[in-house]
Amino acid sequence: VTSMFARRFAPEAQTTVVILPQRADVPVPSQDEVLAVMRAARNRPLAPWHSAERPTALLEEVPAAGAIAEEAHDAVLDVTHVTFANNVRLHYRFMDFKKDHVTVAITLAGGKIRETEAQRGITAVAVLPLMEPATSRFSSTALRDYMTGRKVRVRATMTDDAIELHISGTPDALKAGLELAHVLLRDAKIDPASVALWEQQQLQALEARQNQVQDRTLEAAALVLSGNDPRM
């Protein structure tokens, strides 16, 4: 593959395009200057790229099964309710509208509703490693590689009063999805680069909202409905 790529994309046959803003303080380079930069880049030695080893398992050890403290079945709704010894509540219902598909929602109560004015936005930052999964042991790239090919999806959402992890996929791939949810809940790691990008996006969005009549109207309405709650 390497030799074929080298023949098909020989650096001698190339076109270089330079795109610059049209401003007085940005000089337009000459053709010779551009070619000099390209020659310097071409002559720089490059080491072959080696991918990191793909993880073969997410869990160092299988966690112990939870003990059931209470179980009940609602015959009208056909829902089974289970309370575990650690007070986690489970609601299960079999449905046949989608063949060979399982959906799991893990709901963590709290989040934005418990923020103070000084902490506003902290929940959005806290869920960043759930949106782009990463832990202290696995980077987001490693986790993405591990989940590639597995017919299950794990995603996070944030509401006003909860954080939710959604796992959906085929029954045979559900275990991998639950394992990913497990390591994220116990060992999620916030990447500083993700926080910096989030901050930049928030500042841009706040600036843009100042010039949008609809956004300002919605903001005013949210404050009225919430009694001037700064979180809204």
Side-chain angles (χ1 to χ4, degrees):
V1 172
T2 302
S3 60
M4 176 64 74
F5 184 89
R7 290 199 302 273
R8 293 293 179 90
F9 294 90
E12 293 78 15
Q14 66 179 8
T15 299
T16 303
V17 179
V18 181
I19 301 175
L20 300 169
Q22 190 174 12
R23 296 207 318 254
D25 59 333
V26 179
V28 178
S30 66
Q31 178 174 306
D32 289 340
E33 289 174 329
V34 174
L35 290 175
V37 172
M38 297 305 300
R39 292 191 190 100
R42 187 188 305 169
N43 293 330
R44 190 180 303 136
L46 295 175
W49 179 78
H50 296 285
S51 62
E53 185 177 351
R54 183 173 176 174
T56 57
L58 296 183
L59 301 180
E60 294 181 294
E61 59 182 34
V62 179
I68 295 177
E70 184 180 340
E71 181 175 347
H73 182 76
D74 187 322
V76 177
L77 299 176
D78 194 21
V79 176
T80 299
H81 306 283
V82 175
T83 301
F84 291 96
N86 60 359
N87 289 325
V88 171
R89 289 277 288 162
L90 167 70
H91 310 285
Y92 166 78
R93 183 185 183 194
F94 174 79
M95 302 180 72
D96 59 3
F97 75 97
K98 195 167 185 179
K99 182 178 176 59
D100 295 331
H101 187 84
V102 181
T103 300
V104 178
I106 301 175
T107 303
L108 309 173
K112 181 178 177 181
I113 199 172
R114 301 188 66 179
E115 293 177 7
T116 65
E117 186 172 5
Q119 297 173 326
R120 187 171 54 174
I122 195 171
T123 305
V125 175
V127 300
L128 287 177
L130 305 181
M131 303 286 192
E132 185 71 19
T135 71
S136 62
R137 292 179 57 224
F138 302 111
S139 66
S140 59
T141 302
L143 289 177
R144 194 182 307 117
D145 288 345
Y146 179 81
M147 298 302 292
T148 297
R150 291 177 166 83
K151 297 179 180 180
V152 64
R153 181 186 179 200
V154 179
R155 60 185 179 87
T157 59
M158 185 183 76
T159 64
D160 286 343
D161 60 355
I163 296 171
E164 296 182 353
L165 268 177
H166 299 269
I167 306 123
S168 59
T170 58
D172 58 337
L174 185 64
K175 180 182 177 183
L178 291 172
E179 288 178 349
L180 177 56
H182 178 85
V183 297
L184 288 176
L185 289 173
R186 296 181 66 87
D187 192 35
K189 179 183 178 182
I190 297 178
D191 179 15
S194 298
V195 178
L197 177 61
W198 174 86
E199 182 180 17
Q200 181 183 3
Q201 292 171 339
Q202 293 301 310
L203 291 173
Q204 291 173 348
L206 287 170
E207 183 179 359
R209 274 166 44 188
Q210 301 307 308
N211 302 316
Q212 300 292 328
V213 174
Q214 183 178 2
D215 288 343
R216 296 301 301 273
T217 304
L218 291 173
E219 184 177 296
L223 288 173
V224 170
L225 293 173
S226 65
N228 287 322
D229 190 325
R231 296 169 297 183
M232 300 296 118

